[in-house]
């Protein structure tokens, strides 16, 4: 947990399908412009980080890959 939170790169874990945030690190909080309490439990679409269409395209690109892949994406800040 310490490595996850202190990583210098923004990292998040979301649920499959709906994209609900389960965990985010401090760098992700800074990138998103919101504290983790405002992020966890909400979806990428609810927070305006992606549109539903963007989320669907992203999942279509990364889900066929096994094992999990590194995926970089721009995120819209809360402000």
């Amino acid at each position: 947990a310490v490595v996850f939170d202190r990583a210098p790169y923004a990292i998040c874990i979301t649920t499959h399908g709906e994209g609900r945030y389960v965990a985010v690190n401090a760098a992700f909080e800074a990138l998103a412009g919101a504290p983790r309490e405002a992020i966890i439990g909400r979806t990428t679409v609810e927070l305006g980080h992606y549109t539903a269409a963007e989320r669907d395209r992203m999942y279509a690109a990364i889900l066929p890959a096994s094992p999990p892949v590194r995926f970089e994406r721009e995120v819209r800040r809360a402000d």
Side-chain angles (χ1 to χ4, degrees):
V2 172
V3 172
F4 175 84
D5 195 54
R6 293 187 181 172
Y9 303 102
I11 303 170
C12 67
I13 300 172
T14 61
T15 60
H16 171 67
E18 68 180 347
R20 189 167 304 278
Y21 287 104
V22 176
V24 299
N25 69 353
F28 190 90
E29 288 179 272
L31 176 69
R36 80 184 61 207
E37 294 80 18
I39 300 169
I40 301 298
R42 298 186 64 199
T43 69
T44 56
V45 174
E46 287 174 334
L47 294 173
H49 294 169
Y50 311 121
T51 65
E54 289 170 329
R55 182 194 62 215
D56 292 346
R57 280 193 302 274
M58 178 182 67
Y59 280 140
I62 65 174
L63 288 180
S66 183
V69 297
R70 176 180 173 185
F71 188 80
E72 295 184 20
R73 177 76 170 99
E74 290 184 11
V75 174
R76 294 179 190 97
R77 288 181 49 95
D79 55 358

